[in-house]
Amino acid sequence: MNFNIEKIRADFPILHQQIYNRPLVYFDNAASTQKPRQVIDAIRQYYEHDNCNIHRGVHYLSVKATEAYEEARKEIRKFINAKSTCEIIFTKGATESLNLVASSFGKRYVKPGDEIITSIMEHHSNFVPWQQMCLERGARLRILGINDCGELDPGELNAMMNEKTRLIAVTHVSNVLGTVNPVKEIISLAHQHEIPVLLDGAQGVSHLPVDVQDLDCDFYCFSGHKMYAPMGTGVMYGKEIYLEELPPYQLGGEMIKDVFLDHTTFNELPFKFEAGTPNVEGVMGLRAAIAYLQELGMENIAAYEGHLLGYATEKLSAIEGIKFFGTSRHKASLISFLLGDIHPYDAGMIIDKMGIAVRTGHHCAMPLMDYLKIPGTVRASFSFYNTTEEVDQLVTAILKVKEMLA
Ligand code: PMP
């Protein structure tokens, strides 16, 4: 594989530290990824040379910062192959992007008796906004189930869609099960009924090449911090035809065209959805993160992470009493598991003491936990900076958990 792992790891300062006198093994990448030096440097560069509020001034720094910010928008457009930069809305993360769509789409299109379809595997961020919007508007939230491997069934979706369905909101990749959903098939089915589809891309965009025109999704929402960029950055991609129609989400500076005493007209896209001073330094970091990912190549990343996932699945499968949640053939690089009836928190604490960061709990997916009838899982999620040696250390740690608690 065309991957210089030592060189890559050298780019991530945080990885080179000892935790409890052991080298840190960071397997909590689905919660947030670490940042390469290039991203940290971009933020420093911004504050040391370019810092200024954007879109507002005619002076040198303001113009420079504005240009850099708008360049970042162009890079993101290219990265996900959107048709136009006016379809790229900066937000503070996937959660804000999803709230934006749920709120604005609800106001514009959803009436009492209408239906929204989502799935049982959603993160709360792609569930609660739809649930609450449906409650407010007298609409009905319908929930797609999963099979034993943790996969959605497009056939079930087909049977669920009807003339009342206004939108389908599903995740591209599950943050609990790792399943890469058959989103192209879902979108194609939905479009046969002229129903738009929103994809929660929080776990998709850092692992897979994403081409929103090829997918033909109507909305795609993601966070910067899960793709090696700073916290507090994110994107809401929406097709221009929808964004033109949707009312603004937040009101204030930047998003207006003219303000009168009794009414206001709104700015053109994308600014209509970007009220207030944005996270400019974060966007500078996001731009650097995208450049970093493009340098590695998303196809290469997917191949290397697929190799790690295969290795980890094989090694962990050999552990007696382990139970996996999410066994689809189409998975991104994460593994959710339980060890007999050992509580995931107890397992996580012992694994932590061995220098390995895994996540334990419900992973912000309580409806899924209820459906699976479990309190939570232990989740190891891998990045391209992880290694098979680190997976071996996880296996040793799991055996230690069993020895101590089983
Ligand atoms: N959707 C999924 C699938 C996620 O994994 C997450 C983060 N765990 C989110 C949405 C929310 O992302 P954020 O907290 O960055 O807004």
Side-chain angles (χ1 to χ4, degrees), residues 29-32 91-99 121-126 171-176 200-204 221-226 231-234 334 359 363-364 379:
N29 295 290
S32 197
T91 65
K92 68 183 168 72
T95 301
E96 190 177 48
S97 303
L98 292 161
N99 274 274
M121 69 163 76
E122 301 307 314
H123 186 282
H124 295 157
S125 293
N126 194 33
T171 194
H172 191 176
V173 175
S174 161
N175 66 313
V176 180
D200 172 356
Q203 299 292 343
C221 300
F222 57 97
S223 294
H225 72 97
K226 292 179 197 285
M231 300 272 185
T233 58
L334 72 82
R359 180 132 308 229
H363 313 297
C364 297
R379 181 186 72 189

Side-chain angles (χ1 to χ4, degrees), residues 79 127 152 183 219 314 349 353:
F79 186 62
F127 192 87
L152 297 178
V183 288
F219 300 95
E314 189 188 325
M349 265 153 63
K353 292 292 178 295

Side-chain angles (χ1 to χ4, degrees), residues 6 45 57-58 68 74 115 185 200 400 405:
E6 285 314 313
Q45 160 76 23
V58 289
K74 289 183 193 161
E115 296 181 358
E185 196 179 340
D200 172 356
K400 182 85 181 168
L405 299 180

Side-chain angles (χ1 to χ4, degrees), residues 49-244:
H49 300 280
D50 306 331
N51 176 50
C52 189
N53 210 332
I54 58 165
H55 293 145
R56 291 171 196 198
V58 289
H59 65 80
Y60 179 83
L61 276 187
S62 177
V63 172
K64 196 173 173 198
T66 303
E67 279 173 6
Y69 191 79
E70 292 307 321
E71 273 309 310
R73 202 189 303 271
K74 289 183 193 161
E75 295 302 324
I76 291 161
R77 185 206 66 73
K78 260 192 257 163
F79 186 62
I80 61 169
N81 194 31
K83 214 181 246 172
S84 155
T85 47
C86 77
E87 298 174 320
I88 305 295
I89 312 296
F90 285 119
T91 65
K92 68 183 168 72
T95 301
E96 190 177 48
S97 303
L98 292 161
N99 274 274
L100 190 170
V101 185
S103 166
S104 295
F105 190 93
K107 280 185 193 149
R108 175 67 181 80
Y109 294 111
V110 181
K111 305 179 302 305
D114 285 349
E115 296 181 358
I116 300 286
I117 299 178
T118 185
S119 91
I120 194 73
M121 69 163 76
E122 301 307 314
H123 186 282
H124 295 157
S125 293
N126 194 33
F127 192 87
V128 183
W130 301 112
Q131 179 194 59
Q132 295 299 307
M133 184 273 279
C134 284
L135 288 172
E136 279 162 22
R137 309 197 76 79
R140 178 177 173 212
L141 187 64
R142 301 194 63 189
I143 318 289
L144 265 172
I146 50 173
N147 65 17
D148 289 347
C149 301
E151 295 167 328
L152 297 178
D153 174 6
E156 185 189 347
L157 174 69
N158 211 16
M160 224 181 232
M161 287 185 293
N162 61 45
E163 72 289 348
K164 289 183 269 180
T165 313
R166 290 290 153 266
L167 179 111
I168 296 163
V170 290
T171 194
H172 191 176
V173 175
S174 161
N175 66 313
V176 180
L177 307 165
T179 316
V180 179
N181 285 320
V183 288
K184 255 189 116 160
E185 196 179 340
I186 288 173
I187 291 162
S188 151
L189 278 175
H191 284 178
Q192 284 168 27
H193 300 261
E194 293 177 6
I195 298 168
V197 178
L198 170 142
L199 297 180
D200 172 356
Q203 299 292 343
V205 79
S206 57
H207 298 292
L208 309 165
V210 170
D211 180 331
V212 291
Q213 290 191 72
D214 179 54
L215 289 170
D216 201 22
C217 55
D218 301 279
F219 300 95
Y220 195 93
C221 300
F222 57 97
S223 294
H225 72 97
K226 292 179 197 285
M227 51 181 294
Y228 310 92
M231 300 272 185
T233 58
V235 169
M236 189 277 278
Y237 158 81
K239 280 187 186 161
E240 193 175 346
I241 41 163
Y242 285 108
L243 297 190
E244 285 293 355

